[in-house]
Amino acid sequence: GAVVSQHPSRVICKSGTSVKIECRSLDFQATTMFWYRQFPKKSLMLMATSNEGSKATYEQGVEKDKFLINHASLTLSTLTVTSAHPEDSSFYICSARGPSGQYFGPGTRLTVT
Amino acid sequence: QKEVEQDPGPLSVPEGAIVSLNCTYSNSAFQYFMWYRQYSRKGPELLMYTYSSGNKEDGRFTAQVDKSSKYISLFIRDSQPSDSATYLCAMNRDSNYQLIWGAGTKLIIKP
């Protein structure tokens, strides 16, 4: 139990376009989900906390207009990278607060060309 | 069967003890192995990053990978109360592939 999925697993997009990443809790309801960004061989950096039915809470330095988060249901949160640039290329990981702790998704590799 | 198995604990040991944390996995294609430490209400912090088999040491931490047994370990020497946290293992085939996570082991170091 307590599985978190992400889609897509990998995406390549052109500079200036927008990309949506989905995070789903498959077998539990999650009122709270988290979005992280990871640079190679570095720790996960918390970007924002997503609460179902309310606005996300962004960490300092994260542009809320660039990284749009929507948590419309208890099993789905989405992160949209708007007007993507090459410096947005990274590994994006979500997690969901579940019955016995925090469960991580497998990550989405975003490459902006 | 999950691809990565990790005992959730909690594991409680006295201060100063050697701690052994472990994960087993089923996919022989995994080559990159990571250990993260996560304190309550914080994001996971990368502790160790190893490639293929062997040992890697960093201060009080030693990561060990045994690909023949599909078994990885994290040893903590001279454990401190500040080491109390959840430790997660993660692995993948290469940096372009998804991370497969263990469930995390909650470690408690008693003063």
Side-chain angles (χ1 to χ4, degrees), chain B residues 10-50:
Chain B
L11 175 64
S12 182
V13 300
E15 183 177 357
I18 296 175
V19 175
S20 172
L21 302 164
N22 312 292
C23 288
T24 58
Y25 62 96
S26 57
N27 190 338
S28 58
F30 290 144
Q31 296 208 78
Y32 295 87
F33 304 92
M34 288 140 274
W35 284 97
Y36 287 83
R37 176 175 64 193
Q38 185 178 28
Y39 293 110
S40 181
R41 290 185 288 275
K42 298 284 186 182
E45 170 194 8
L46 181 64
L47 279 177
M48 302 287 278
Y49 184 99
T50 54

Side-chain angles (χ1 to χ4, degrees), chain A residues 15-86:
Chain A
S15 189
T17 61
S18 295
V19 173
K20 181 185 283 189
I21 303 170
E22 293 186 349
C23 176
R24 292 181 186 274
S25 56
L26 297 185
D27 50 3
F28 66 98
Q29 294 183 328
T31 54
T32 304
M33 290 185 173
F34 305 89
W35 286 97
Y36 296 87
R37 184 172 176 177
Q38 185 180 35
F39 295 97
K41 299 188 183 182
K42 298 289 186 184
S43 297
L44 295 176
M45 181 192 79
L46 180 64
M47 297 174 66
T49 301
S50 169
N51 297 298
E52 187 267 336
S54 64
K55 289 183 179 180
T57 304
Y58 289 81
E59 296 298 305
Q60 194 171 13
V62 178
E63 299 175 60
K64 61 178 71 174
D65 294 330
K66 180 165 185 63
F67 298 100
L68 300 178
I69 291 172
N70 184 284
H71 194 158
S73 80
L74 287 170
T75 58
L76 173 65
S77 176
T78 60
L79 168 68
T80 301
V81 183
T82 62
S83 187
H85 288 103

